[in-house]
Structure formats: structure tokens, C-alpha cells
């Protein structure tokens, strides 16, 4: 039973990585888009691409937290006890990010837009870094079970956490760039298609290189997960590498839909691979999934809620993405001339 | 880390954790009525716009949905902080009771998904979706708001009235009955009370903005409608809330006698207990100050028995199982504020209805508008006061009779740092939300003026109100 719920948690984390991650990545490209004038066009593509859907994507995070604290409450307590600092930073970063993005769209003065934009963009980098560092802390066994706190600093400032943090940032950037190639094409802007395609390929290569280097780090610092990744989870790792390379090739050949799918595949397989690698532990190697699991009735209610969610939410999400991709969701403009200032 | 840093950070986390939880919750709750009720209010306007071809209503609905995009975003991020805080501040509570307490949140998550998805479709769908399908995409927002509220409050009610689990000898939750967790004894009334509160606060808040507008001389049909729709929603919710609140007070009297003693500030068990307005407890635990209304507390607790109803006093509970005297003062004051302002707002609603019944129009006097303009903030104060009654009245328990607050808190001594950071960030956030909303409104007003000039000045013929006009007019891409 606890395995089923672990699978549900995995689905949530993967979805958050694929959709929420891309939103964070968009913030990364916003940050690096250059000065106000030079960055105007890419920024408008970015705003357009994440506008309608970011809140729905964000709910995946809530979903993961809730599943974790309901089904594996002791693991949740251990994680939050030890990783107080990065999680607090992430929470505040999320406040900055979400609100600044919403505000920026509504203000028209360039200087305010710039300030909100800066808050949005820099927190878009900090939050995934913290999340990646948290993942690294868990994977490297630095979160002890049983109500004891691990070291408040070295638990998340260590080789594996830094690897996790940097990888999270680059993965988000990669996903976002690949998606935005598509968005730019939809908007009929060939210049921007080129712009984001170059960045997609660049970030794919960087991510790949870091992932390769990461193997060494994991070998020295997170031996349990390293063994998992090189045995049980090896097929997933290989699949991920193939997807990543495939997406680069397709980007080079301007086959954008395929590139998008492969990019998603590359990221999803890495996330799932991490889960498989640390199985059966939720906190390697001090707490197994089954030891952390709530009583069966609780697990069942999580499963039931998930099934209802699959029946109700997935079609709704499908509707949202469909309308969004078909451009049936415009900017929520009310008055004429709204977008002419600023 | 260095010992100097450790020294600076070595502060007892419990009071800071409490303060941070209370502060962030109090902030989040202001956005909740907007998320729950504004969707409904907007749909009323939207309905009217389509049915009666009412251009003013259409413009209101469109603008409201845009404001909502902003307040919803702030609600979502502050809610996310709360989710983190459950772990960051109360890891021992979550570690032990997450198995039970978490269940309502799993359901809440479902509703949040629905709300976020359909809000996006609704807000961004004005342009290209047809009027009726577009209207219907708003309905799930209302349903999700109701469902979300009921489930979070169910979790809170469970803290007051824990049920549906068994502890083994080690104190671990071993058996859970999800149904009994969700439908705990405190849940029905508490959820209902909060839900009605959300509608009345949401209504008063939105209406107060237009009341201000009217006071500044903007008494056109657009502003009147912007006032009437939300104010009517609030005015209908108000009497219902009085009934629910009354029922709830009696429920607390029967089920949570400690909290009730704190609410009514009753030091010693007795009959014929007066209802004391204000006042506080001195060192010896005696009531000082305040205005006693003889016998009223007893009568309200059980009208059948009248003044002979006995109310258990604080002294009949062990000292370490009841709120401290200072906390009793807080609970009692918050109670007076909730009931006092609630009654005041109720009278305001009566005034409004009376005017409709006798004059067939809303009250037009400046005084009414001033009070209505204040009602937004006053209703928020009422709401916050009610929560203080519930939360502080439960002390010293986080899970009543099962876990104390200090046994639930994190051992991280750095909480005071996050508290300070959170207060600073939220202060900035609060100011910014208000500024952004005001800027949006000002921009639209100026846009209006321009548009009217384009059409030949304020005396020119208004464009035919139809759905197509504004839709076509906004059909412009934000992307250069
Ligand atoms: C603005 C809205 C509002 C208004 C007008 C009232 N209340 Fe209230 N009250 C709340 C908003 C609220 C709340 C939403 O803030 C609380 C906190 C927890 C809850 O479920 O509802 C609450 C709690 C609360 C409690 C504590 C319940 C507990 O801890 O279990 C009682 C006894 C009452 N209320 C009773 C009343 C009475 C007798 C009212 C009539 C004058 C009243 N309320 C008006
Ligand atoms: C949204 C309106 C709410 C407000 C304004 C509010 C207010 C407060 C206050 C003032 C405290 C501090 C009590 C003290 O230490 O004396 C507190 C504590 C707390 N509240 Fe609430 N509360 C709200 C809703 C909720 C809900 C819905 C939940 C959970 C589902 C919740 C969970 C907690 C917890 C876990 C604590 C800390 C433990 C404690 O002090 O009892 N609160 N809240
Ligand atoms: C009286 C208590 C509460 C009520 C009625 C309530 C209701 C709501 C509503 C209606 C929203 C939608 C956003 C909006 O409208 O602004 C929301 C957002 C949120 N709330 Fe609360 N809330 C309460 C307390 C809490 C608590 C204690 C938590 C902590 C777990 C919480 C977590 C969240 C989260 C995570 C979101 C964001 C959802 C999203 O991303 O769409 N809320 N809340």
C-alpha cells in the first residue's frame, strides 16, 4: 500500500518538475534576458507562455506537500526539522515569485515592471535551487529519521545538495527554453524561435555535462543512491540520456513538437529514476517507505482522492492546456489600449 | 557554525512559532473571502450582463475577474507558506498527527486544483470563449471555493475536537477512520460559520470600494451596480451568520466548556452569570472593569433554563489545561469584538433591507455610505476576532486534550529570524497588493475617460451594450 502512495507522490513530483519547473525556468530566462530594451521581446514571450497556467502548475507543489505529510508524516517532520533553512528560503521565494509575476502584469510603469520583474526572476532561480538542495540532502542521507534534526547547514550545503540545486536550475531552464521555442512559433515570431532554440540547446548541453559530473559526486557522497542509479534505475538513466540527446537533435532539425516531448521524457525519467534508486527508502538509509507510512485507512483516502483527482482534475487540466495551446485564452484584457502604455 | 552565531540564535522557538503561525494565518484569511465569495459575486454580475445585456455589469464582471487574478495569486502564495509552516514550525505535531490531520487537506488540494484551473480559464477566457460557456467555466470556481473552505476548516475543527484515530502505547497513531476525522463534531458548525463569514466579508469588502467611489461623487449606474451586487450578497449572509453564531456559542458551551469560560470570562462556576462587556482578569483571577449585563450569559447559554443555567468557571479546570489569564483576556476581548461588530453589521443589513422594502431603493444618505465604506474593514476585523476566539481559546492545546503547543513546536532556534523576515515581506506584500489594485482601478478610470472622449464626450450616445463590443475591443495581443 505504501508503495502505491509513493508512486502517487512520484507522479506529483514529476508533474511539478515538468510544469512548475518550466515556469521557474521561464524566470531564469527572464533574469538573463538583458536590459529593459533588449529583453523586452523575450520577456513578453515569457509572460505570454506562463500567464494563464502558472497557478495550476503551482498546485502540484501543494499536492506533493499534502501527500507527504498525510501519508508519510514522520518523514515530512524529519525533512522540515532538518532542512528548516532551505525550506524557509524556498517558501519566501515562492511568495516573491508568484506575487511579483501577478503584479508585473498589472502595472504599467516601466520602473515598477522592472522591480517586480527582478523579484520574479531572481526568486525563480533561488526556489528551484533550494528544492534541488533539499532533494540532494535527502538523497545523500543527511536527513535523519526519528525526530532528531540533522545539521542545519551542512545538511544542505554539501556536494550532493549543490549538485541537486544546480541541476534543478538548469533542468528548469532547459524545459522552459524548449517550451518557449514552441510558444514563440505559435506567436509567429521567427526571431524568438531562434533565440529560444539556441538557449534550449545550450542549456541541454550544460545540463547533460553537469549530470555526467554528478555521477562522480554521487559516488563519493551519496553511495546508496549511486548504487541504485547504476543498477535498478540504470535503464531510466539511459533512457533519460537518450531523450536528452534526441531532443537536442530534434531542436537542431527544427522539429519542435518532438523536441518538447523528448525533453519532458528526459526530465521525467530522471525524477522517477531518483525515486527508484532510493527505493525502498524515503529517507536513505534511515527510514523506509513502509516504516514512515500512515495507517492503511489514511493511505486509502489518499488513493481515493488521487483517483477522483485523476477523473476530475486531469480532464480540467487538459481543457486548460488545450485552450491555452489553441490560443483561446488571451490576455485578460478588459479595456482597449491597456497594453499600449509601459 | 560559530558559537557566537549559535548564541544569537538560541532563542526559545515556541512563542515565535506561535506568532509566525498566527501572523501568516491572519494575513491569508483576508484573501480567503475574496477567493471564496468574489467568484460568486462576479458570476452574478456576469449572469446579469448576459441575461439583460447589461454593459455595466459586464464591465464589472470583467474587471472583478482581473482583480481576482491578483488577489488569488497572493492567496495562493500565502497559502503555500502556511503549508510549509506546518512542517517548519510544528514538525512534531505533523509527525505524530499528520496521518489524521492531513486527510482534510488532501481533499482541499483537490479543490485548489479545480479553483486554480477554472480561474485561469475564466479570467483568460473573456476574449475568445462564447458568453455562456464562459460563464459556466466560472461555476467550478464557486464550488471549489466552498469545498476548499469546508475542508480546511474541517482540519481546524479536528484540532478542537480530535476524533477518528487510535493511539498505541507509544503515542503513535495506529488506526484512522477518515470519515470520523473529517466529520468531527466541531466541523459542521465551524465550516458553515466560516463559509458564511467568507461571503459576508467578501461582499462587504468589494462593496466598500464602490461606497467610497459614490462618496467621491461617482454615483453613476456602474458604481451603484458595483455596490449593490456585493452588498446584497453580504446583507443576505449577515442574518444567517447571526443564527449560526448563536448556535455555535451554545455548541461551545456544551462541548468545550473551558473555551466557553474564557469567552464569557467566568472565573468561578455559578448560575445567573452576567454577560460582561470588556473588562479583564486581575492577578487573582477576578473580573475587573467591564460592563456586566445581569444574567445574560446564562440565558444565552440555555434559554430554556434561563438565568438558572450553570456555567462552568475557569477554576473548575486544572491550571495547566486552560488558557492563562492573559489569554482569557484576549479571548474575551476578541469575543466582544466579534459579537459587537457582528451585531453592528447586522443592523446595517437591516437598514439596507428596510430601505428596499419601504422605499424600493438602497439608502442614499451619506451616513449609510460612510458606514458601508467602513463595513469592509470592520467585517475583516470581525473575522480575525472570531479566529482569535477559536485559536487562543484552545490553548494550551494544539490538539485538544492530546498535544500541547510546546510539544508540537520545532526545536529550531532560528524561528525568530524567519518571523522577522516573514513580517517584513508580508508588510511589503500587503502594501503592494493595495497599490497595485488601486493602480489598476485608476488606469481603468482614465481609460474610461479617454474612451468616452473618443465617442464624442460624456453626452454622446453610449455604444450599444452587447457582448461583442467589449470583446472585440480588447482583441489585441499584449505581445508587440
Ligand atoms: C465576519 C464574520 C463573523 C461574524 C459576523 C460572527 N462570527 Fe463568529 N466566528 C467567525 C466569524 C464571524 C470566524 C469565521 O472568524 C470563526 C473563527 C473560527 C470559525 O469557524 O469561525 C468564528 C468563531 C466563533 C466562535 C468560536 C467557535 C469555536 O471555537 O469552536 C463562536 C462561539 C462564534 N463565532 C459565535 C458568534 C456569534 C454568537 C456571532 C453573532 C454575533 C458571531 N459569531 C458573529
Ligand atoms: C485563518 C484564520 C486563522 C487565524 C487568524 C488563526 C489564528 C491563530 C492564532 C492567533 C494562533 C496563536 C494561538 C496562541 O498561540 O495563543 C494560532 C495558532 C495556530 N493555528 Fe490558527 N488561525 C486560523 C486558522 C487556522 C486553521 C484553518 C488551522 C489549521 C487547519 C490553524 C492551525 C493553527 C496551528 C497549528 C496553530 C499553532 C498551535 C497553537 O497555538 O494552537 N489555524 N492561529
Ligand atoms: C480558515 C482557514 C482557511 C480558509 C477558509 C482557506 C481558504 C483558501 C482559499 C479559498 C484559497 C484559494 C486562494 C484564494 O482565494 O486566495 C486558499 C489558498 C490556499 N490556502 Fe488557504 N485557507 C485557510 C487556511 C489555510 C491553511 C491553514 C493552510 C495551510 C495548509 C492553507 C493553505 C492554502 C494553500 C496552499 C493555498 C494555495 C492554493 C493554490 O495554489 O491554489 N490555507 N485558501
Amino acid at each position: 500500500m505504501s508503495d502505491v502512495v509513493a508512486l502517487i507522490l512520484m507522479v506529483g513530483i514529476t508533474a511539478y518538475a515538468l510544469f512548475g519547473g518550466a515556469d521557474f525556468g521561464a524566470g531564469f530566462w527572464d533574469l538573463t534576458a538583458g536590459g529593459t530594451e533588449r529583453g523586452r521581446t523575450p520577456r513578453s514571450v515569457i509572460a505570454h507562455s506562463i500567464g494563464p497556467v502558472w497557478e495550476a502548475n503551482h498546485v502540484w507543489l501543494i499536492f506533493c506537500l499534502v501527500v507527504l505529510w498525510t501519508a508519510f508524516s514522520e518523514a515530512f517532520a524529519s525533512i522540515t526539522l532538518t532542512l528548516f533553512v532551505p525550506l524557509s528560503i524556498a517558501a519566501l521565494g515562492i511568495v516573491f515569485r508568484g506575487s511579483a509575476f501577478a503584479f508585473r502584469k498589472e502595472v504599467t510603469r516601466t520602473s515598477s515592471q522592472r522591480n517586480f520583474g527582478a523579484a520574479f526572476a531572481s526568486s525563480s532561480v533561488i526556489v528551484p535551487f533550494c528544492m534541488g538542495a533539499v532533494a540532494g540532502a535527502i538523497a545523500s542521507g543527511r536527513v535523519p529519521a526519528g525526530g532528531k534534526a540533522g545539521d542545519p547547514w551542512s545538511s544542505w550545503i554539501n556536494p550532493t545538495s549543490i549538485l541537486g540545486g544546480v541541476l534543478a536550475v538548469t533542468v528548469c531552464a532547459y524545459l522552459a527554453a524548449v517550451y518557449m521555442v514552441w510558444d514563440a512559433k505559435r506567436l509567429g515570431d521567427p526571431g524568438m524561435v531562434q533565440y529560444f532554440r539556441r538557449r534550449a540547446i545550450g542549456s541541454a548541453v550544460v545540463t547533460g555535462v553537469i549530470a555526467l559530473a554528478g555521477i562522480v559526486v554521487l559516488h563519493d557522497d551519496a553511495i546508496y543512491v549511486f548504487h541504485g542509479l547504476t543498477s535498478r534505475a540504470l535503464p531510466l538513466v539511459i533512457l533519460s540520456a537518450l531523450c536528452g540527446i534526441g531532443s537536442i537533435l530534434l531542436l537542431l532539425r527544427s522539429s519542435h513538437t518532438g523536441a518538447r516531448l523528448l525533453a519532458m521524457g528526459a526530465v521525467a525519467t530522471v525524477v522517477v529514476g531518483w525515486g527508484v534508486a532510493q527505493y525502498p527508502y524515503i529517507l536513505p538509509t534511515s527510514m523506509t517507505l513502509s516504516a514512515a507510512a500512515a495507517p492503511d485507512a489514511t493511505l486509502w483516502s489518499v488513493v481515493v482522492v488521487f483517483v477522483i483527482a485523476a477523473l476530475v482534475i486531469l480532464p480540467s487540466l487538459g481543457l486548460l492546456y488545450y485552450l491555452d495551446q489553441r490560443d483561446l485564452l488571451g490576455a485578460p484584457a478588459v479595456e482597449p489600449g491597456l497594453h499600449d502604455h509601459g | 557554525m560559530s558559537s557566537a552565531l549559535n548564541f544569537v540564535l538560541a532563542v526559545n522557538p515556541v512563542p515565535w512559532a506561535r506568532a509566525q503561525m498566527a501572523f501568516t494565518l491572519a494575513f491569508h484569511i483576508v484573501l480567503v473571502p475574496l477567493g471564496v465569495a468574489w467568484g460568486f459575486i462576479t458570476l452574478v454580475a456576469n449572469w446579469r450582463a448576459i441575461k439583460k445585456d447589461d454593459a455595466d455589469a459586464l464591465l464589472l464582471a470583467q474587471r472583478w475577474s482581473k482583480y481576482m487574478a491578483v488577489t488569488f495569486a497572493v492567496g495562493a502564495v500565502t497559502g503555500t507558506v502556511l503549508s510549509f509552516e506546518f512542517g517548519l514550525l510544528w514538525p512534531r505535531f505533523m509527525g505524530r498527527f499528520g496521518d489524521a490531520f492531513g486527510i482534510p487537506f488532501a481533499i482541499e488540494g483537490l479543490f485548489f486544483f479545480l479553483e486554480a484551473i477554472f480561474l485561469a480559464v475564466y479570467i483568460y477566457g473573456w476574449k475568445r470563449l462564447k458568453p455562456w460557456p464562459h460563464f459556466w467555466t466560472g461555476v467550478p470556481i464557486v464550488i471549489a471555493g466552498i469545498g476548499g473552505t469546508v475542508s480546511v476548516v474541517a482540519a481546524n475543527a479536528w484540532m478542537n475536537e480530535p476524533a477518528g484515530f487510535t493511539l498505541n502505547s507509544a503515542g503513535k497513531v495506529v488506526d484512522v477512520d477518515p470519515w470520523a476525522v473529517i466529520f468531527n463534531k466541531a466541523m459542521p458548525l465551524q465550516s458553515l460559520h466560516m463559509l458564511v463569514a467568507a461571503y459576508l466579508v467578501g461582499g462587504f469588502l468589494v462593496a466598500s470600494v464602490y461606497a467610497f467611489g459614490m462618496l467621491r461623487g461617482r454615483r453613476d449606474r456602474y458604481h451603484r451596480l458595483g455596490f449593490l451586487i456585493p452588498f446584497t450578497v453580504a446583507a443576505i449572509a449577515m442574518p444567517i451568520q447571526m443564527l449560526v453564531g448563536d448556535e455555535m456559542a451554545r455548541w461551545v458551551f456544551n462541548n468545550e466548556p473551558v473555551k466557553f469560560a474564557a469567552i464569557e470570562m467566568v472565573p468561578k462556576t455559578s448560575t445567573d452569570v452576567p454577560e460582561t462587556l470588556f473588562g479583564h482578569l486581575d492577578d487573582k483571577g477576578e473580573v475587573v472593569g467591564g460592563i456586566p449585563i445581569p444574567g445574560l450569559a446564562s440565558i444565552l447559554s440555555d434559554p430554556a433554563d434561563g438565568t438558572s443555567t450553570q456555567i462552568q468557571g475557569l477554576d473548575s479546570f486544572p491550571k495547566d489545561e486552560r488558557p492563562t489569564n492573559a489569554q482569557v483576556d484576549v479571548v474575551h476581548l476578541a469575543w466582544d469584538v466579534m459579537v459587537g461588530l457582528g451585531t453592528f453589521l447586522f443592523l446595517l443589513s437591516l437598514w439596507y433591507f428596510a430601505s428596499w422594502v419601504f422605499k424600493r431603493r438602497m439608502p442614499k444618505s451619506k451616513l449609510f455610505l460612510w458606514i458601508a465604506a467602513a463595513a469592509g474593514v470592520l467585517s475583516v476585523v470581525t473575522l480575525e476576532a472570531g479566529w482569535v476566539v477559536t485559536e487562543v481559546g484552545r490553548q494550551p492545546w494544539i490538539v485538544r486534550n492530546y498535544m500541547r503547543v510546546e510539544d508540537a513546536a520545532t526545536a529550531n532556534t532560528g524561528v525568530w529570524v524567519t518571523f522577522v523576515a516573514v513580517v517584513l515581506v508580508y508588510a511589503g506584500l500587503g502594501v503592494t497588493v493595495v497599490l497595485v489594485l488601486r493602480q489598476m482601478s485608476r488606469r481603468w478610470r482614465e481609460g474610461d475617460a479617454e474612451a468616452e472622449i473618443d465617442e464624442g464626450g460624456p453626452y454622446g450616445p453610449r455604444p450599444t451594450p452587447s457582448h461583442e463590443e467589449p470583446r472585440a475591443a480588447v482583441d489585441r495581443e499584449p505581445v508587440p
Side-chain angles (χ1 to χ4, degrees):
Chain A
M1 195 66 209
S2 57
D3 290 353
V4 176
V5 179
L7 206 65
I8 292 176
L9 184 58
M10 221 57 241
V11 170
I13 296 176
T14 310
Y16 187 53
L18 289 180
F19 301 111
D23 287 350
F24 284 115
F28 175 85
W29 296 120
D30 189 303
L31 188 66
T32 52
T36 310
E37 273 315 311
R38 201 156 55 85
R40 174 156 298 158
T41 327
R43 285 203 176 94
S44 65
V45 178
I46 291 166
H48 189 81
S49 87
I50 62 181
V53 287
W54 80 264
E55 248 146 352
N57 294 341
H58 175 80
V59 183
W60 285 110
L61 171 63
I62 312 299
F63 175 86
C64 296
L65 285 174
V66 169
V67 171
L68 187 62
W69 84 44
T70 309
F72 304 107
S73 55
E74 285 180 47
F76 176 70
S78 301
I79 293 168
T80 50
L81 201 58
T82 299
L83 299 169
F84 183 81
V85 181
L87 287 173
S88 298
I89 297 173
L92 285 179
I94 287 170
V95 173
F96 273 110
R97 205 186 100 80
S99 49
F101 181 68
F103 295 158
R104 181 175 66 164
K105 287 211 309 236
E106 298 307 339
V107 296
T108 45
R109 258 213 324 274
T110 314
S111 68
S112 338
Q113 276 193 336
R114 208 163 38 219
N115 292 342
F116 288 133
F120 162 68
S122 46
S123 45
S124 293
V125 175
I126 293 170
V127 175
F129 180 87
C130 288
M131 303 280 197
V134 166
I138 296 171
S140 59
R142 287 186 167 88
V143 178
K148 303 187 298 283
D151 189 280
W153 303 100
S154 72
S155 58
W156 65 285
I157 306 179
N158 62 65
T160 309
S161 287
I162 291 173
L163 171 71
V166 174
L167 208 54
V169 173
T170 57
V171 160
C172 292
Y174 163 55
L175 277 178
V178 176
Y179 293 177
M180 270 176 317
V181 172
W182 214 79
D183 285 312
K185 198 161 112 189
R186 219 175 46 182
L187 294 171
D189 188 334
M192 279 296 113
V193 173
Q194 280 307 322
Y195 180 97
F196 283 111
R197 196 166 67 161
R198 274 200 307 276
R199 281 161 177 73
I201 295 172
S203 52
V205 172
V206 171
T207 309
V209 170
I210 295 177
L212 279 178
I215 296 176
V216 183
V217 174
L218 291 181
H219 179 265
D220 291 344
D221 197 52
I223 194 69
Y224 186 82
V225 168
F226 176 82
H227 281 315
L229 284 173
T230 49
S231 57
R232 249 174 300 142
L234 192 61
L236 287 166
V237 176
I238 294 173
L239 191 59
S240 169
L242 291 179
C243 286
I245 296 169
S247 82
I248 296 180
L249 292 178
L250 289 183
L251 280 169
L252 286 171
R253 308 177 68 206
S254 292
S255 171
H256 298 136
T257 315
R260 203 172 135 102
L261 285 176
L262 285 185
M264 291 170 86
V267 175
T269 43
V270 162
V271 176
V272 176
W274 166 43
V276 171
Q278 67 169 54
Y279 187 83
Y281 290 104
I282 188 161
L283 301 176
T285 49
S286 62
M287 183 177 256
T288 59
L289 287 165
S290 55
D296 273 354
T298 304
L299 299 182
W300 269 111
S301 19
V302 173
V303 173
V304 168
V305 168
F306 182 76
V307 170
I308 298 175
L311 295 177
V312 178
I313 305 296
L314 289 186
S316 317
L317 268 180
L319 175 74
L320 176 62
Y321 291 132
Y322 171 82
L323 293 173
D324 186 39
Q325 298 290 320
R326 297 285 303 270
D327 248 345
L328 287 171
L329 302 180
V334 176
E335 269 78 18
L338 207 61
H339 294 280
D340 297 349
H341 325 288
Chain B
M1 280 276 127
S2 72
S3 60
L5 189 56
N6 278 338
F7 177 75
V8 173
L9 295 178
V11 175
N12 177 10
V14 177
W16 296 98
R18 281 179 153 167
Q20 183 173 333
M21 194 74 211
F23 177 75
T24 45
L25 279 161
F27 193 100
H28 181 67
I29 198 70
V30 181
L31 296 149
V32 166
L34 297 177
V36 176
W38 211 351
F40 176 77
I41 295 170
T42 303
L43 282 189
V44 173
N46 192 348
W47 174 276
R48 203 188 152 86
I50 306 180
K51 274 274 164 188
K52 308 216 162 148
D53 226 358
D54 183 335
D56 287 327
L58 180 65
L59 197 58
L60 282 169
Q62 290 183 327
R63 287 181 176 174
W64 283 344
S65 75
K66 271 201 95 179
Y67 289 128
M68 235 167 23
V70 173
T71 57
F72 184 82
V74 180
V77 294
T78 53
T80 307
V81 170
L82 291 173
S83 308
F84 275 82
E85 279 177 347
F86 276 164
L88 293 174
L89 304 177
W90 316 105
R92 289 184 287 171
F93 164 46
M94 295 309 284
R96 190 146 153 226
F97 289 108
D99 306 356
F101 176 72
I103 292 171
F105 284 101
I107 298 166
E108 184 211 26
L110 213 142
F111 286 116
F112 280 161
F113 252 128
L114 266 189
E115 183 160 4
I117 293 169
F118 282 96
L119 200 70
V121 174
Y122 185 77
I123 294 173
Y124 290 90
W126 282 109
K127 222 167 43 163
R128 307 258 167 82
L129 297 179
K130 295 219 166 56
W132 278 115
H134 176 255
F135 172 87
W136 287 107
T137 63
V139 173
I141 305 176
V142 176
I143 297 171
I146 295 173
T149 305
V150 170
S151 15
V152 198
V153 179
N156 184 266
W158 180 89
M159 293 162 61
N160 290 329
E161 200 63 47
F165 62 93
T166 328
L167 295 178
N168 69 8
S169 52
K172 192 173 151 49
V173 173
V174 282
D175 207 5
V176 173
D177 174 359
W179 211 254
V181 169
I182 300 168
F183 296 97
N184 60 74
K185 280 199 298 177
M187 178 264 187
L189 276 177
Q190 228 192 298
S191 293
L192 185 63
H193 198 52
M194 177 61 219
L195 190 62
V196 180
Y199 273 85
L200 73 88
V201 175
F204 280 132
L205 263 182
V206 177
S208 67
V209 174
Y210 294 87
F212 261 119
M214 281 150 85
L215 281 167
R216 293 200 179 159
R218 292 193 279 272
R219 290 195 178 227
D220 47 19
R221 183 163 177 283
Y222 170 84
H223 279 83
R224 240 182 14 254
L225 204 59
F227 177 83
L228 284 176
I229 296 173
F231 198 88
T232 308
V233 169
I236 292 172
M238 201 55 239
I240 302 175
Q241 186 72 332
M242 298 304 275
L243 292 176
V244 178
D246 185 49
E247 196 55 37
M248 185 131 151
R250 232 168 340 255
W251 188 88
V252 173
F253 167 69
N254 288 318
N255 294 277
E256 293 184 57
V258 194
K259 189 180 273 176
F260 195 76
I263 283 176
E264 299 288 3
M265 208 160 66
V266 184
K268 293 192 179 54
T269 304
S270 53
T271 55
D272 198 8
V273 180
E275 177 84 48
T276 311
L277 303 182
F278 305 109
H280 63 96
L281 294 178
D282 64 11
D283 311 338
K284 295 193 287 299
E286 305 281 342
V287 179
V288 286
I291 311 153
I293 304 174
L296 189 62
S298 282
I299 297 173
L300 288 176
S301 306
D302 190 346
D305 282 354
T307 53
S308 59
T309 310
Q310 187 181 55
I311 298 181
Q312 273 184 287
L314 290 162
D315 66 352
S316 52
F317 307 96
K319 224 184 162 74
D320 65 343
E321 288 183 12
R322 63 176 204 227
T324 63
N325 283 355
Q327 283 166 339
V328 171
D329 290 347
V330 171
V331 173
H332 179 68
L333 179 65
W335 168 257
D336 285 347
V337 168
M338 169 171 64
V339 176
L341 285 178
T343 310
F344 180 77
L345 294 171
F346 173 63
L347 295 176
L348 182 69
S349 310
L350 287 187
W351 182 354
Y352 179 75
F353 285 129
S355 171
W356 274 107
V357 169
F358 295 115
K359 302 192 182 150
R360 308 234 155 253
R361 59 165 176 77
M362 65 174 274
K364 287 221 169 115
S365 71
K366 272 237 152 79
L367 179 67
F368 177 82
L369 286 177
W370 274 114
I371 299 177
V377 173
L378 292 181
S379 65
V380 172
V381 174
T382 316
L383 176 73
E384 301 277 7
W387 276 104
V388 170
V389 171
T390 302
E391 301 286 310
V392 182
R394 186 181 59 241
Q395 301 304 313
W397 305 105
I398 188 167
V399 182
R400 192 161 70 96
N401 294 343
Y402 284 95
M403 185 181 243
R404 285 164 190 284
V405 173
E406 66 263 24
D407 299 330
T410 181
N412 267 294
T413 51
V415 177
W416 72 273
V417 180
T418 57
F419 173 77
V420 172
V422 162
V423 170
L424 292 177
V425 170
Y426 275 35
L429 184 62
V431 171
T432 315
V433 185
V434 174
L435 289 180
V436 167
L437 293 178
R438 284 190 46 183
Q439 194 188 335
M440 288 165 74
S441 123
R442 188 164 324 134
R443 193 179 62 211
W444 285 334
R445 260 208 315 282
E446 285 160 9
D448 257 1
E450 278 166 30
E452 277 173 15
I453 289 165
D454 282 347
E455 286 149 15
Y459 303 107
R462 286 195 79 103
T464 20
S466 89
H467 243 86
E468 283 320 304
E469 290 282 352
R471 269 162 216 273
V474 297
D475 212 56
R476 269 194 223 175
E477 283 299 320
V479 179

